[in-house]
């Protein structure tokens, strides 16, 4: 019922959205130009844009990475789906020309936002790597006939993608997929699969959420599984291709994240309003870019969400040596081939400091020379994979690590 109510409310405000949009266009017509410099008109335009944005339905953004620079030359980039499964596409950012550079598979989190949240991550690797990313589908758009999607399915998808890409692929897992990435690597090692990743790079991942638990961890671990089943799992209504799917709706996750920092979000919107009135176009556009991404959320398959809550946040199976795959206990000590790099943010308020480093204890069979741990000073969770410090400090650390694998 909650999903139906939310969908009905979204539809009910669409006339207001269209009204604000239409009036904003009218006030920007050429013959209105003499009036656009008046404070009254700027205030009206700012009000209309704020109404327009607050009543919008934010769909999946585009990556928009159409070119990169290689050896000082501009090179065209084209997105290409190279392998497709019901809940995820393996997306390749194909660059014009041929380059003998390392392959990286970026495992994007299936945690509410689209893979485009890692646009900045992809952009940094394009000049010197062959980049692939897991582009997860919104569960509300996956027909019920495709079946469900569980934690084990996530692991299967990673294995299938790594098999598709072949040997010497470097696997970069950002946040949530760090746990299934370890499981996938372990299963491939146990099966002596030649396509197991050449290196495993885990960024802000909840390997052991018992270490320095955050507010997010407390929320997940402070309730039993039945509470989540009864309070946050919904059925997709009939207006969507995935009608009948059981999901954890993106709008519930978004409301949870926003409520954690509601004062900050309110201040940012007041500032946006003021920037529009002042004509500060750069600041206003930065606000639009951030919230266009932040407010675009996707539904998660209920089975996967509940599996993750149970295995990672309630039972801590991986650090306790109790993780299973297809009902069989896995042995993480069997992983001896890939090099391991763990990355944490000093001020991460989502994945506490030390939670990702715990991977070194989990993957106990790796030689010391194949391990590295890095803490990025003065960044929170998103600063690990986006922003200036990522570009200037984190990304170069990862690239150097990849270059030195096997030396």
């Amino acid at each position: 019922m909650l999903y139906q109510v939310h969908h009905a409310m979204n539809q009910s405000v669409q006339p207001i959205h269209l009204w604000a949009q239409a009036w904003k266009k009218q006030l920007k017509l050429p013959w209105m130009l003499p009036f656009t410099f008046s404070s009254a008109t700027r205030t009206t335009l700012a009000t209309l844009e704020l109404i327009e944005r607050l009543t919008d339905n934010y769909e999946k953004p585009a990556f928009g990475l159409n070119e990169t620079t290689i050896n000082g030359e501009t090179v065209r980039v084209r997105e290409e789906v190279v392998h497709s499964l019901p809940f995820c596409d393996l997306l390749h950012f194909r660059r014009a020309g041929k380059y003998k550079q390392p392959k990286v598979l970026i495992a994007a989190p299936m945690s509410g936002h689209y893979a485009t949240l890692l646009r900045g991550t992809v952009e940094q690797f394009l000049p010197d790597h062959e980049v692939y990313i897991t582009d997860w589908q919104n569960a509300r758009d996956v027909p019920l006939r495709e079946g469900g999607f569980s934690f084990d399915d996530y692991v299967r998808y990673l294995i299938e993608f790594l098999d598709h890409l072949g040997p010497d692929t470097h696997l970069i897992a950002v946040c949530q997929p760090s746990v299934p990435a370890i499981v996938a690597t372990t299963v491939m090692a146990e099966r002596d699969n030649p396509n197991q990743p050449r290196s495993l790079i885990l960024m802000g991942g909840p390997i052991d959420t018992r270490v320095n638990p955050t507010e997010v961890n407390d929320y997940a671990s402070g309730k039993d599984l039945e509470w989540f089943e009864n309070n946050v799992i919904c059925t997709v209504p009939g207006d969507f291709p995935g009608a009948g799917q059981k999901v954890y709706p993106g709008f519930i996750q978004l409301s949870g994240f926003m409520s954690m920092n509601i004062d900050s979000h309110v201040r940012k919107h007041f500032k946006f309003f003021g920037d529009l009135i002042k004509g500060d176009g750069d600041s206003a556009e930065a606000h639009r870019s951030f919230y266009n991404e932040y407010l675009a959320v996707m539904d998660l398959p209920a089975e996967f969400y509940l599996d993750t809550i149970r295995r990672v946040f309630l039972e801590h199976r991986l650090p306790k040596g109790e993780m299973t795959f297809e009902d069989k206990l896995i042995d993480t000590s069997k992983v001896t081939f890939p090099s391991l790099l763990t990355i944490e943010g000093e001020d991460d308020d989502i994945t506490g400091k030390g939670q990702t480093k715990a991977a070194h204890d989990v993957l106990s069979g790796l030689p010391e020379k194949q391990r590295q741990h890095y803490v990025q000073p003065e960044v929170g969770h998103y600063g690990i994979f986006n922003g200036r410090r990522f570009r200037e400090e984190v990304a170069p650390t990862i690239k150097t690590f990849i270059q030195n694998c096997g030396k």
Side-chain angles (χ1 to χ4, degrees):
M1 176 61 85
L2 180 61
Y3 205 126
Q4 285 84 345
V5 170
H6 178 265
H7 183 51
M9 289 178 61
N10 274 348
Q11 290 181 312
S12 70
V13 299
Q14 283 311 293
I16 300 173
H17 172 78
L18 296 173
W19 170 82
Q21 192 176 66
W23 268 106
K24 195 177 75 168
K25 288 180 180 178
Q26 287 291 323
L27 291 175
K28 288 187 175 181
L29 289 172
W31 51 82
M32 294 296 295
L33 187 62
F35 303 100
T36 57
F37 297 102
S38 71
S39 60
T41 303
R42 290 201 305 268
T43 302
T44 301
L45 282 169
T47 302
L48 290 169
E49 180 161 353
L50 202 58
I51 293 172
E52 179 188 11
R53 293 187 61 81
L54 291 174
T55 55
D56 201 0
N57 289 319
Y58 292 86
E59 299 297 334
K60 179 182 178 181
F63 275 99
L65 300 173
N66 301 316
E67 60 183 36
T68 188
T69 303
I70 302 177
N71 299 324
E73 295 184 1
T74 299
V75 176
R76 288 182 294 106
V77 176
R78 176 167 57 90
E79 293 177 26
E80 182 180 66
V81 175
V82 294
H83 194 62
S84 185
L85 295 170
F87 284 87
C88 188
D89 289 331
L90 178 59
L91 190 61
H92 179 206
F93 294 88
R94 186 179 294 280
R95 302 165 300 172
K98 293 185 177 180
Y99 306 93
K100 192 175 179 59
Q101 294 176 330
K103 290 178 294 186
V104 296
L105 170 57
I106 301 175
M110 194 183 199
S111 56
H113 284 98
Y114 291 95
T116 51
L117 191 68
L118 305 185
R119 182 185 296 103
T121 316
V122 173
E123 186 176 23
Q124 285 306 301
F125 284 95
L126 278 176
D128 37 32
H129 292 78
E130 204 68 53
V131 184
Y132 300 80
I133 195 169
T134 56
D135 192 15
W136 299 102
Q137 304 297 322
N138 192 335
R140 76 177 189 193
D141 297 328
V142 180
L144 196 59
R145 65 176 178 272
E146 298 291 354
F149 186 88
S150 66
F151 180 94
D152 280 0
D153 286 317
Y154 194 117
V155 174
R156 292 187 194 98
Y157 274 38
L158 286 183
I159 293 173
E160 187 164 337
F161 290 153
L162 288 165
D163 280 336
H164 180 85
L165 295 177
D168 295 323
T169 301
H170 300 268
L171 178 57
I172 302 175
V174 181
C175 190
Q176 166 266 316
S178 294
V179 175
I182 290 178
V183 177
T185 303
T186 301
V187 171
M188 296 178 83
E190 290 178 326
R191 297 173 178 175
D192 200 23
N193 188 323
N195 298 319
Q196 59 184 291
R198 184 66 193 84
S199 73
L200 188 57
I201 296 132
L202 309 178
M203 308 176 68
I207 307 303
D208 189 350
T209 59
R210 299 171 300 178
V211 180
N212 289 327
T214 63
E215 187 175 343
V216 175
N217 302 147
D218 291 339
Y219 168 79
S221 62
K223 304 169 180 63
D224 58 26
L225 201 64
E226 186 178 7
W227 184 92
F228 289 99
E229 290 177 311
N230 294 334
N231 290 276
V232 300
I233 301 302
C234 299
T235 302
V236 177
D239 292 349
F240 299 99
Q245 286 273 18
K246 294 289 186 182
V247 298
Y248 172 51
F251 66 83
I252 292 182
Q253 173 136 322
L254 179 63
S255 63
F257 274 123
M258 293 196 73
S259 66
M260 290 171 57
N261 297 287
I262 189 64
D263 292 343
S264 173
H265 291 295
V266 171
R267 285 196 302 272
K268 286 177 180 177
H269 279 77
F270 272 115
K271 182 180 182 302
F272 173 62
F273 184 76
D275 290 336
L276 289 172
I277 294 174
K278 291 185 295 184
D280 186 347
D282 290 343
S283 296
E285 187 55 35
H287 176 97
R288 292 188 194 101
S289 298
F290 174 80
Y291 278 101
N292 285 351
E293 194 77 56
Y294 188 78
L295 297 174
V297 290
M298 56 184 281
D299 299 343
L300 310 185
E303 187 178 3
F304 168 77
Y305 175 74
L306 295 173
D307 268 355
T308 301
I309 291 290
R310 181 177 65 252
R311 297 189 190 197
V312 178
F313 296 97
L314 297 180
E315 297 177 356
H316 312 288
R317 288 192 186 182
L318 192 59
K320 291 166 71 174
E322 299 172 358
M323 181 62 77
T324 59
F325 176 70
E326 297 179 344
D327 297 322
K328 179 184 175 184
L329 188 69
I330 65 169
D331 183 0
T332 54
S333 69
K334 297 293 186 183
V335 178
T336 59
F337 173 66
S339 297
L340 173 65
L341 170 63
T342 51
I343 297 175
E344 297 180 336
E346 182 181 45
D347 303 322
D348 195 329
D349 61 349
I350 293 178
T351 304
K353 192 175 176 183
Q355 292 186 13
T356 311
K357 186 180 181 182
H360 292 273
D361 295 326
V362 171
L363 297 171
S364 59
L366 286 173
E368 194 61 35
K369 66 178 181 179
Q370 292 171 215
R371 303 168 174 274
Q372 184 179 337
H373 179 63
Y374 177 78
V375 177
Q376 176 58 49
E378 300 178 11
V379 300
H381 190 70
Y382 294 101
I384 300 171
F385 55 87
N386 261 320
R388 180 178 62 83
R389 289 191 177 273
F390 168 75
R391 294 191 299 270
E392 296 177 358
E393 301 176 56
V394 178
T397 298
I398 297 173
K399 293 179 182 183
T400 300
F401 178 79
I402 289 174
Q403 290 169 3
N404 292 334
C405 279
K407 292 184 180 179

